[in-house]
Amino acid sequence: MRRLTVDPARRVAFDALRAVHADDAYANLVLAKLLTERHLSGRDAAFATELLAGTCRMQGTYDRILTAAAGRTLNTLQPAVVDVLRLGTHQLLALRVPTHAAVAATVDLAASAVGERVTGLTNAILRRVAARSFDDWVEELSTGLDPRAALALRTAHPDWVVAAYADLLPEEELETALAANNASPTTTLAVRPGLAEVAELVAAGADPTTYSPFAARWSGNPADLAAVREGRAGVQDEGSQLVTWGLTRAAAPDGWWLDLCAGPGGKSALLAGLAPERGGRLLAAELSVHRSLLVRAGLRGYARVARTTGWADPAVITADGTRPAWHPGAFSRVLADVPCSGLGALRRRPESRWRRQPEDVEAMHPLQRALLNTALDSAASGGVVAYVTCSPHRQETTDVVDPILAQRADVAVIDAAGLLPELGDAARGPYLQLWPHRHGTDAMFAAYLRKL
């Protein structure tokens, strides 16, 4: 019998991919768990990460290629075999793995994970995949497609996501914007104001970013930094920091601040550190008990300081934002970072573009409207509300804000460009729209509103 030599990095990527498809697991979370359990680090961890993330991102296009190479629909194959083939395809068409090594390693993975009976099939399909380059496959499969469908195939996005981006961006910018979703983002850290300075992270080897005064890029394991281990800094995309910072730069009365949908707590941590400088104190509200615990964990650095100095630490409650547990007009600043499709964070959630459907956007629209109305009702006269999504989709952004503005005479728009003048090319009317290909951040949207 042939002796199998299954590479541990490929096995981790396969097990994670199976969890994504069979159990609806989040790719980044299940991968981190498996890397720890199986003690993979360094180059092995980096290879497993790229193999999983790249395969998840390109899945739709790889499935079209595999269907053509197999000469059959993929639902006629075992799901585990399809995942093995997807991983092999990524090695053949996107990574610098020699063909013989990619095929042999993937066949061994198939034998180990599924059974010897599928090795011949796996070998045959992958050799057909390897007969063409990615560009050649795309050119062949694009025959007869309209330009927008060909773009979706070339950039590995569902048609409806391409349509949503095309609704907002100039045609000549569209492919660049979609391609940016396929680039692996660097890890960005955020210091907790009052607990750490960016200079400390830079001294440890991090690089400052372009826009946020709280951010630094880090290429290693964040847990290697003392500031992260001690809760004085955390991982947070620069776009999330910027939309939060914008809320704090508008004039508003002193008083309590509210983070209406606080989980997992990154924006709460930034607000908690900035509030005391402006005569405020933060209340973080989160519907999910599990996510409330994550918020508390993110604020642990402030809680530690409060125990030793008497400083007013932020408060965390588990509460439904659509059924407020507080009096109307109780807050000077309110952040409503509402649940959304996450179409602006496709770089960090590689599987989400294939998991989400247009119906998901439609289904969240009433909740987003309800949360924005709660946020406005919760703000004091003269107070400021930030409506934020990690999606640029029109239905989750302006189609939520504009109708509510038309219905309420007690709200005025604050020009976002005036709050964040450092950001060029980020205005979307009076609102803020960040893009990965323009700003190197997630595609965050923010509308800043004043309660009259």
Side-chain angles (χ1 to χ4, degrees), residues 256-265 267-268 271 282-289 291-293 295-296 299 314-326 331 334-339 371 374 378:
W256 279 82
W257 297 11
L258 173 66
D259 188 352
L260 185 61
C261 313
K267 296 182 184 68
S268 285
L271 291 173
L282 179 72
L283 173 67
E286 168 54 42
L287 174 63
S288 158
V289 173
R291 288 166 68 87
S292 292
L293 294 174
V295 177
R296 291 183 192 281
L299 299 175
V316 181
I317 62 171
T318 302
D320 182 350
T322 64
R323 303 171 64 185
W326 47 84
F331 299 95
V334 181
L335 174 65
D337 178 19
V338 301
L371 288 169
T374 293
S378 301

Side-chain angles (χ1 to χ4, degrees), residues 190-198 212-215 231-234 236 241 244-245 248 266-278 301-302 305 311:
V191 296
R192 310 306 192 209
L195 302 181
E197 301 286 343
V198 169
S212 170
F214 315 105
R232 297 184 291 109
Q236 187 179 43
Q241 300 175 44
T244 308
W245 191 31
T248 71
K267 296 182 184 68
S268 285
L270 198 53
L271 291 173
L274 295 175
E277 299 175 4
R278 293 162 175 77
Y302 294 111
V305 171
W311 182 68

Side-chain angles (χ1 to χ4, degrees), residues 33-301:
K33 180 172 180 285
L34 288 172
L35 290 176
T36 300
E37 289 177 353
R38 301 183 191 182
H39 307 292
L40 259 64
S41 59
R43 295 180 62 181
D44 284 342
F47 182 64
T49 301
E50 168 52 36
L51 191 51
L52 176 66
T55 300
C56 287
R57 285 192 195 100
M58 303 301 293
Q59 180 178 309
T61 300
Y62 288 168
D63 284 1
R64 297 278 297 277
I65 292 170
L66 284 167
T67 299
R72 58 201 285 189
T73 58
L74 297 187
N75 61 10
T76 63
L77 300 172
Q78 286 181 254
V81 173
V82 175
D83 279 343
V84 167
L85 291 169
R86 287 165 172 157
L87 292 168
T89 299
H90 189 59
Q91 294 169 66
L92 289 167
L93 301 184
L95 304 183
R96 295 179 179 176
V97 180
T99 297
H100 69 279
V103 173
T106 307
V107 168
D108 283 349
L109 175 62
S112 172
V114 186
E116 288 281 354
R117 69 188 185 286
V118 302
T119 56
L121 175 71
T122 302
N123 182 69
I125 294 174
L126 288 181
R127 290 200 176 281
R128 289 182 206 128
V129 170
R132 294 179 174 86
S133 68
F134 178 80
D135 289 343
D136 288 343
W137 273 114
V138 167
E139 182 178 356
E140 178 179 316
L141 295 173
S142 296
T143 303
L145 297 180
D146 65 52
R148 197 60 65 69
L151 177 61
L153 178 71
R154 190 162 64 247
T155 61
H157 285 76
D159 291 344
W160 72 274
V161 175
V162 175
Y165 273 57
D167 183 41
L168 301 168
L169 289 166
E171 188 70 27
E172 65 272 15
E173 202 175 329
L174 186 54
E175 181 154 5
T176 302
L178 294 168
N181 288 334
N182 295 336
S184 297
T186 56
T187 299
T188 306
L189 305 174
V191 296
R192 310 306 192 209
L195 302 181
E197 301 286 343
V198 169
E200 177 184 348
L201 303 182
V202 171
D207 296 315
T209 63
T210 306
Y211 305 110
S212 170
F214 315 105
R217 295 191 184 89
W218 178 248
S219 58
N221 183 351
D224 292 342
L225 293 167
V228 174
R229 292 195 304 273
E230 295 165 3
R232 297 184 291 109
V235 176
Q236 187 179 43
D237 179 71
E238 189 178 12
S240 295
Q241 300 175 44
L242 292 169
V243 294
T244 308
W245 191 31
L247 173 64
T248 71
R249 299 180 89 180
D254 291 347
W256 279 82
W257 297 11
L258 173 66
D259 188 352
L260 185 61
C261 313
K267 296 182 184 68
S268 285
L270 198 53
L271 291 173
L274 295 175
E277 299 175 4
R278 293 162 175 77
R281 184 181 176 189
L282 179 72
L283 173 67
E286 168 54 42
L287 174 63
S288 158
V289 173
H290 170 67
R291 288 166 68 87
S292 292
L293 294 174
L294 294 178
V295 177
R296 291 183 192 281
L299 299 175
R300 67 188 188 284

